[in-house]
Structure formats: C-alpha cells, structure tokens
Amino acid sequence: MTEQASVSTQQIVEKVWLSIAERRLRPGVQLKEGQLAAIFDVSRARIRQALTALEREGLVTIIPNRGAFVCHPSVDEARDVFAVRRSVEACVVERIGTSITKADVTRLRNHVAQERIASAKDITTDIIKLSGGFHLLLAEISGSDFLFGMMRDLISRTSLITAVYRNTARFNCGPDEHDEIVEEIAKGNFKRAAALMEHHLEHVETELDLREVRDISHDLRAALA
Amino acid sequence: MTEQASVSTQQIVEKVWLSIAERRLRPGVQLKEGQLAAIFDVSRARIRQALTALEREGLVTIIPNRGAFVCHPSVDEARDVFAVRRSVEACVVERIGTSITKADVTRLRNHVAQERIASAKDITTDIIKLSGGFHLLLAEISGSDFLFGMMRDLISRTSLITAVYRNTARFNCGPDEHDEIVEEIAKGNFKRAAALMEHHLEHVETELDLREVRDISHDLRAALA
DNA sequence: TGATAGATAATTGTCAGCAATGAGCGATTC
DNA sequence: GAATCGCTCATTGCTGACAATTATCTATCA
C-alpha cells in the first residue's frame, strides 16, 4: 500500500506554522475549520487538534464560538519571549556539557552546513526551518524532554515574532553565529558557548523593530485599501 | 435555569490535576477515557480535550492507541523545571516592578492571608491550590499573558514533582516566605523581592528528595503486593 | 439618512456510533 | 515445559450528522 492514509496532525501544524512564519498568513486572519479541512482533505476533528496545538505554541488564539485567528504578539510579549529564551537556552547549553558525544558534534556541524547551503541558495523556507531547527537540535542533544518541549514552544513564538517585527529582508539567525557556538561546544568550552548563545539571541532581538506599537486594525484596513 | 449544562473542560482538568497533586492518582496509572467520561458524566470528546490539556501541562503522557498515563517525571526533569522556574519567576518579579498598583498589593496580601488560614486549618486541598495560586497571581499581575501561560505550565509540573518527590508531610511552599516576598514588593524593592523568590524556590527544591532514582515498575509491584 | 430588529447563512461545538488498534489469554506445537 | 500463534475483548481514534452560537444582510421605522 503506497497509498497514504491521510495527513497527520503534526504535518498540518507544520504547514500552517511555516505559512505564518513566511508571512503568507498574516496576524488577525481567521483559520476556518471547514476551509482547512478542505485544503488538507481531512476531517474537521483533525484540524481542530492541529489548531489546539498551534494555540499551545502561541501562534493562534482560539476564541470560543468565534474561531481561531493568527496571533499578533505585542512588543512586550516579544521581549518576554526573548528574555525567557536567553535563560532556557543557557540552561540547554549548560546541560549539553554533561552528556555530549562526538556524534552530537557531528550532527551539529552537519546542521550548520545545511544552513549554509540554504543561505547560499537563498531558499527562504529552508532558512526558516533550519535556523529554528538548530536551536531545537541543541535542546534535543541536551537530552531533556522538558527543555526540548519548552524550546519548541519558544521557537514557534519567535518565528511569529520575527514574521511580524522583522524589517530587514535578511534573516539574522544565520549560520555564522551558530557555527561559532558549535565550535566552542566542540572545544568543551561550554561557558563561552553559553555566552555566545546569549549574545546571539540579543543580536537577533535587536535586529527586530520592537519600538513602534503596531495597530492590528490599522494593518487590516491598510491591507484592504 | 439553575441547571448546569455540564462540567467544563477546565473543571475536569483542575479536578484531575488536584487528584494527581494530592497523590490520589499515582504516576503510571492509566486515565481511561470511558472511565472518566462516566465519572464526570460528559462525553468522551470533552474528556479527550481535558487529557490533551493535561498533556500540555506535563501531567500525563498520551501514547497513541494506548491511552493517557500519569507522568513520572525524572530527577533530571525536576531539576530542569526548577531551573527554568527560577529564571521565569525572576522575569515576572522584574516585570511587576513596572506596572504594579496598590490594588495588586492588596490582592497579594489577601492571598497570603488565605494561605495562612488554609495552613492553620491544615486543609491539604486548599494549601496545594493556594501555594501554586500565589505564584500564578504574581504572573497575572505582571500583565504578561505569555509569562502567565508559562507559569501555569511550570506550576502544574512542579505540583507533580512535589507529589512524587516530597518526603516530608508538610508543604514547603508556605505563606511565610510568600509574605516576605510580598512585603518587599510593597516596598518597591523588586531586586530584593527577586532574590527572595530565588531563595524561596531553592528552598522548595532542596526539601525534595531528588537523590534516589525511583523505578516506576518497582513502585507498581510494591503497590500491588 | 441612520439605526435597529428580524431573518438568513455560515461557522463552531457536541454527540453518538463505527472502525482500528493493541492487550490479555488460552490453545497448540515443538 | 516454554514459546508462539490466533482469538476475544477492551480501549482509543475517527467520521458524519446535528445543535448552538455568531456574523451578515435586508427591510422597516424614526
């Protein structure tokens, strides 16, 4: 049976997540269940599961009896997410120091290599996936399911924040700074790796335009004009 | 219509959460959908929602085609949760400094007063609810939905960890240390409040028995003997 | 002309029944 | 006697249909 039964919930979540991260789905847009069910050719029940998962990750807000809408994170929330990320990722790097293997270092280097390829070819989809994937890979290597799950949520939220507040065309969570971090880890210099990570996250945050307070309704009207 | 339509999903989540925190539901126990549906007199669909919510909060693990089981957090996970809590709660206290009102201080003092009453009367249920509720109230006052949601998860996880690894009869997340934190906040001394919070969390963690590695299967066999 | 109330359409929420998967148990065979 | 195969039963997963809620449109009235 080469026939695929149906699209899994996780696949739907990933597709929608990518659409949001790529700005194809703008904040405020309603994600109607019937519509999505038709697009993915699955039952509404599965869509509903996907939407609750997306809500947990902070990408959509579900208003009872109204529906699911793409979130519009505030500037304050953006700062909070980055603040927590700095702490959690420091935790991750610290934990990696206790259990890392040579195979793990290889995986990290391969990942950064892939990032370089995507960056060189300028494939936006891959760049987004891989830049988040790097941080997720670190969490995976840390061996803590809890930290992994937490990072998954934080990265999803960061993706949305980046989609909303990024003003440059280029992505700042690039392979160069990732590479430096990996090399410090490879040397066993975890304190320095953690410091580099913190600097990296600060860099990503400062490149965002987190000054102005954007009005969602204004954006909608402008889009419709 | 005084007739209540049916129990809400949130109520089910809270009841199950409390049962786990009070050790009435031990790690490894399966939470069967039909069973719960009969107990709460609701449809299985509602139970399913509650179980996914409990999974998100780290209280149960859902194994596909198998069912939902009460989690058994590892010692490492327990330490990770506390490490992240220290960072996030420091963030919360810091944020409170920017927006707190007199009414908020009153709410905090009232809450601690309730904690004292529950502690004096030795009502376990209230003690558990209120001690977690204090930290949740701080997050609420911080005004950040993101931090609030994060604290909600972390407190749920901490409740489970406490249920598993607590060896003393008494709860350590008590009103005295909470009171000190509130008074420092009232004085506008947020740096010191944050330090007290960190100390408080360290205290709670050290009172747990996080040395031994407990074997879940052993516990089950012992319980059945 | 603007606002309001009612009717209509669309969307979400819920439920009961059916299909599919996995666990437990007994029979069979080596 | 031990392991394996197949059957039975309990439990989960899914689908479709129905009920409830909300948004939209239209007609009426001040």
Side-chain angles (χ1 to χ4, degrees):
Chain A
M1 293 214 204
T2 56
E3 189 92 29
Q4 178 86 10
S6 71
V7 187
S8 77
T9 304
Q10 196 50 47
Q11 285 175 302
I12 297 170
V13 169
E14 200 158 317
K15 279 231 171 192
V16 176
W17 168 75
L18 200 58
S19 293
I20 293 174
E22 284 182 338
R23 290 175 166 173
R24 292 168 46 80
L25 282 174
R26 288 304 191 97
V29 171
Q30 180 170 11
L31 303 173
K32 297 178 185 175
E33 295 180 358
Q35 208 171 320
L36 289 172
I39 291 171
F40 291 105
D41 193 35
V42 295
S43 71
R44 267 181 53 218
R46 180 119 359 134
I47 296 296
R48 198 168 258 269
Q49 286 182 11
L51 288 175
T52 55
L54 287 165
E55 187 194 28
R56 166 182 66 210
E57 295 180 14
L59 293 183
V60 309
T61 334
I62 294 176
I63 305 173
N65 293 321
R66 287 281 310 279
F69 303 84
V70 178
C71 273
H72 185 91
S74 68
V75 173
D76 284 341
E77 176 165 338
R79 294 196 193 284
D80 288 337
V81 169
F82 273 100
V84 172
R85 267 195 75 168
R86 278 193 287 274
S87 303
V88 174
E89 301 225 33
C91 221
V92 167
V93 173
E94 198 173 317
R95 213 157 204 313
I96 278 182
T98 65
S99 65
I100 195 161
T101 66
K102 278 208 167 185
D104 293 330
V105 175
T106 305
R107 287 178 70 193
L108 285 168
R109 283 188 176 136
N110 285 340
H111 191 99
V112 173
Q114 281 190 294
E115 283 189 73
R116 280 200 195 287
I117 292 169
S119 188
K121 289 187 181 171
D122 201 33
I123 307 170
T124 312
T125 304
D126 289 355
I127 292 174
I128 291 175
K129 277 191 189 173
L130 290 167
S131 63
F134 173 76
H135 295 264
L136 215 55
L137 180 57
L138 282 174
E140 188 190 325
I141 289 173
S142 82
S144 165
D145 288 343
F146 168 66
L147 290 177
F148 183 79
M150 186 137 272
M151 278 307 302
R152 202 186 141 68
D153 282 15
L154 289 170
I155 286 167
S156 288
R157 289 185 147 90
T158 307
S159 297
L160 174 57
I161 289 166
T162 304
V164 173
Y165 292 106
R166 163 169 61 96
N167 50 6
T168 60
R170 206 84 188 142
F171 287 88
N172 308 302
C173 193
D176 289 336
E177 294 188 357
H178 289 180
D179 188 43
E180 291 179 35
I181 293 167
V182 171
E183 291 314 312
E184 288 302 327
I185 288 174
K187 287 180 198 163
N189 208 340
F190 303 106
K191 287 281 179 196
R192 173 133 182 80
L196 279 176
M197 175 63 85
E198 188 159 354
H199 177 267
H200 170 52
L201 291 172
E202 272 171 10
H203 181 217
V204 173
E205 184 180 355
T206 53
E207 289 288 326
L208 297 175
D209 187 9
L210 292 180
R211 292 162 307 177
E212 72 176 302
V213 178
R214 301 200 182 186
D215 189 344
I216 174 67
S217 62
H218 179 276
D219 280 349
L220 276 176
R221 285 174 196 285
L224 291 170
Chain B
M1 289 213 203
T2 56
E3 189 93 29
Q4 179 85 11
S6 70
V7 188
S8 77
T9 304
Q10 197 50 46
Q11 285 175 303
I12 297 171
V13 169
E14 201 160 317
K15 280 231 171 193
V16 175
W17 168 74
L18 200 57
S19 294
I20 293 174
E22 284 181 338
R23 290 176 167 172
R24 293 167 46 79
L25 281 174
R26 288 306 191 95
V29 171
Q30 180 171 11
L31 303 173
K32 297 177 186 176
E33 295 182 359
Q35 209 172 318
L36 291 172
I39 291 171
F40 291 104
D41 193 34
V42 295
S43 72
R44 269 179 51 218
R46 181 90 39 102
I47 296 296
R48 196 168 261 268
Q49 286 181 9
L51 289 176
T52 54
L54 286 165
E55 187 194 28
R56 166 181 68 211
E57 295 179 15
L59 292 182
V60 308
T61 333
I62 294 177
I63 305 173
N65 293 321
R66 287 281 310 280
F69 303 84
V70 178
C71 274
H72 185 90
S74 69
V75 174
D76 284 342
E77 177 165 338
R79 294 196 192 283
D80 287 338
V81 170
F82 273 99
V84 172
R85 266 195 75 166
R86 277 194 288 274
S87 302
V88 173
E89 302 226 32
C91 221
V92 168
V93 173
E94 198 173 318
R95 215 159 204 312
I96 277 181
T98 65
S99 65
I100 194 159
T101 67
K102 278 208 166 185
D104 292 330
V105 175
T106 305
R107 287 178 71 193
L108 284 167
R109 282 188 175 135
N110 286 340
H111 191 100
V112 173
Q114 282 190 294
E115 283 188 73
R116 281 201 195 287
I117 293 169
S119 188
K121 290 187 181 170
D122 201 34
I123 307 169
T124 312
T125 304
D126 288 357
I127 293 174
I128 291 176
K129 276 190 192 174
L130 290 167
S131 62
F134 173 76
H135 296 264
L136 215 55
L137 181 57
L138 283 174
E140 189 190 326
I141 290 172
S142 82
S144 165
D145 289 344
F146 169 66
L147 291 176
F148 183 80
M150 186 139 273
M151 278 306 301
R152 202 185 142 69
D153 282 15
L154 289 169
I155 285 167
S156 288
R157 290 186 146 88
T158 306
S159 298
L160 174 56
I161 289 165
T162 304
V164 172
Y165 293 106
R166 164 169 59 96
N167 49 6
T168 61
R170 206 84 187 143
F171 287 87
N172 308 304
C173 192
D176 288 336
E177 295 190 354
H178 289 181
D179 189 43
E180 292 179 34
I181 292 167
V182 171
E183 290 315 313
E184 289 301 328
I185 288 174
K187 287 180 199 162
N189 208 338
F190 302 106
K191 286 280 180 197
R192 173 134 181 80
L196 279 176
M197 175 63 85
E198 187 158 354
H199 177 266
H200 170 52
L201 291 172
E202 272 171 11
H203 182 216
V204 173
E205 184 180 354
T206 53
E207 289 288 327
L208 296 176
D209 187 9
L210 292 180
R211 291 162 308 177
E212 71 176 303
V213 178
R214 302 200 181 184
D215 188 344
I216 174 66
S217 61
H218 180 275
D219 280 349
L220 276 176
R221 286 174 194 284
L224 292 170

